[in-house]
Structure formats: structure tokens, C-alpha cells
Amino acid sequence: PPGRKVLIVYAHQEPKSLNGSLKRVAVEELSKQGCSVTVSDLYAMHFEPRATRNDIVDCLHNSDEFNYGVETWEAYKRGCLSNDLIEEQKKVQEADLLIFQFPLYWFSMPAIMKGWMDRVLLQGFAHEFPNCYDSGLLKNKLALFSFTTGGSKEMYAKGGINGDIRCLLWPMQHGIMHFCGVKVLAPHICFAPEYVSEEKRKEMLIAWAQRLKTLWKEEPINCSPEWYFK
């Protein structure tokens, strides 16, 4: 719907890749609906994945012993985080929907995207115990993980060699997004695009565009262990 804001956090090195095309389709389709779409293209931005002392721009709270979690929490309250973090947090704050677009690396997200999670979703900004899970600080937002795999759908089935794909989503969807209060839409998975025909890859893009047309009508998944491990 017009006026909705979407942030696409995108991690792929090649614009001509299927991930690049999925990102482009999302920008086109959502813009067509009147949404305003922002893209954080992590590789193009040379986004720093490492959580370091450089993320705090003034004096440390405790200069004797560096504790990243404590220091960034304090710096967030003082408005003293580095500019790249303030930028990303602003994009997250404004977004109604976060789409994460990436190729699955080793049953997880690429390091550059994990680094985005580590550095952007800080205490004080995204969560603050006991304000986590349903009371996380980013409640009223939606997230969707859209990714490609190397293995086929069969390999990621319950009895398959890689195990149930849903188990891999537990740390990402539950441990990060739900922890911060974000409601999660069903993931969008393109299985083994490198091993299918050009025709099939086109169908994958069409299916994604179709889904995006009615995305705002979707109900979030049930945010409980049952969804993942039943």
C-alpha cells in the first residue's frame, strides 16, 4: 500500500546474479505499489562486518576493559555511534518491512550480512532486556528472509541429507528478528538456481513478483518453536 516503507538489506557481489534480479524485482514491484524502497547493498557499500572499538566515536564508558555490548549500548544512548551505524539504524527505524536478500552460505547468511545484524541491531535500539521477543523494541515491523540455496529442495526436506530448511531459519528468524520484536513473514526460498534452466530461473522471478503483489495481506508465521521443529 502507498506510503509503506521497505528496507532491502542485500548481500551479493554480482548485480546480474539471481539474488541481484530478486532484489531488482522487489524494488520494481514494491515501488509500483507506491511503497518507498531503500536498498542497503552491503558489498557495494563496503559495509564493515566487524564489531570493533571504531563503532564508538567518543570516549569509552570503561576504557580499562572493552565490552562491545556495553559500550555500544552506552554510545547509542549518548548518540555517539559511528555514522554508518546511525545511517542503518535510521533506515530500520523508518521501515515497515525489512527484506533480507542473500545466498545461503554454510547454512547461514553471508558474513557481511551477519556483521550488519551484529552491529546494527544493538541493545537500546533493537532490544533491551526484558524488552525482547514479543516486546522487542522493533515491534510493529515485519521481516522476510529471501534467499537462494546451493542444494535442492529434496536435500533440505525433513528426511533430506541437509535436514529441514526450517531448522536453519531458527537462528535468523527467531534468534535475531523475533528477539527484536519483529514479526516474520514466511521465507522466500529459491532452491538450487545454478542447477536449473534459464526458463526455471525466470519462473522464480515471476513467482517472487507475484508474491509481492499480495505480500501486505499475508499473516506472519507462528513465532514459536513449533513452526521450526514440529
Side-chain angles (χ1 to χ4, degrees):
R4 295 272 175 101
K5 293 197 162 141
V6 182
L7 170 62
I8 301 176
V9 182
Y10 161 70
H12 200 288
Q13 309 86 339
E14 174 51 69
K16 295 195 204 77
S17 64
L18 185 70
N19 274 277
S21 301
L22 288 159
K23 183 258 297 172
R24 199 182 57 248
V25 164
V27 173
E28 284 166 10
E29 182 51 48
L30 292 163
S31 302
K32 217 185 286 174
Q33 296 173 18
C35 300
S36 72
V37 185
T38 304
V39 177
S40 285
D41 180 342
L42 301 181
Y43 285 104
M45 290 156 69
H46 299 288
F47 186 80
E48 168 61 81
R50 294 169 300 182
T52 70
R53 161 74 180 86
N54 298 338
D55 294 349
I56 300 107
V57 295
D58 66 345
C59 312
L60 292 178
H61 180 66
N62 172 5
S63 49
D64 292 338
E65 194 177 325
F66 184 70
N67 177 320
Y68 185 80
V70 170
E71 292 296 346
T72 50
W73 184 21
E74 293 295 335
Y76 175 75
K77 292 188 280 198
R78 294 195 306 271
C80 292
L81 290 170
S82 60
N83 281 338
D84 58 341
L85 294 192
I86 291 171
E87 262 317 80
E88 294 307 298
Q89 288 180 341
K90 201 164 144 248
K91 296 177 196 174
V92 171
Q93 200 66 69
E94 291 176 354
D96 299 297
L97 167 66
L98 308 167
I99 296 177
F100 297 96
Q101 181 65 58
F102 58 97
L104 196 69
Y105 280 9
W106 294 118
F107 281 23
S108 185
M109 57 186 91
I112 200 166
M113 184 176 279
K114 177 58 164 57
W116 186 95
M117 305 281 181
D118 292 350
R119 294 179 65 228
V120 176
L121 303 176
L122 297 173
Q123 186 165 0
F125 170 67
H127 57 90
E128 192 149 17
F129 192 80
N131 294 320
C132 44
Y133 290 118
D134 292 341
S135 60
L137 302 180
L138 301 182
K139 50 184 183 295
N140 308 325
K141 296 188 188 300
L142 291 168
L144 193 164
F145 287 86
S146 170
F147 59 95
T148 58
T149 67
S152 66
K153 195 170 183 171
E154 294 68 46
M155 290 166 84
Y156 283 107
K158 222 180 186 145
I161 191 157
N162 291 340
D164 190 345
I165 191 87
R166 288 182 177 214
C167 298
L168 312 189
L169 289 158
W170 171 253
M172 302 192 243
Q173 293 185 164
H174 185 78
I176 304 176
M177 285 297 122
H178 184 203
F179 187 83
C180 297
V182 180
K183 291 185 177 61
V184 180
L185 296 173
H188 197 85
I189 309 170
C190 292
F191 288 100
E194 286 176 69
Y195 302 103
V196 300
S197 64
E198 193 51 45
E199 202 42 53
K200 273 263 181 298
R201 280 197 291 274
K202 283 210 177 77
E203 282 167 27
M204 287 175 173
L205 295 176
I206 292 164
W208 178 224
Q210 278 307 112
R211 179 174 176 194
L212 290 162
K213 285 189 197 328
T214 54
L215 195 69
W216 301 102
K217 295 193 176 79
E218 290 185 18
E219 282 298 311
I221 64 166
N222 156 23
C223 272
S224 70
E226 282 81 60
W227 189 89
Y228 301 90
F229 304 114
K230 63 172 186 283

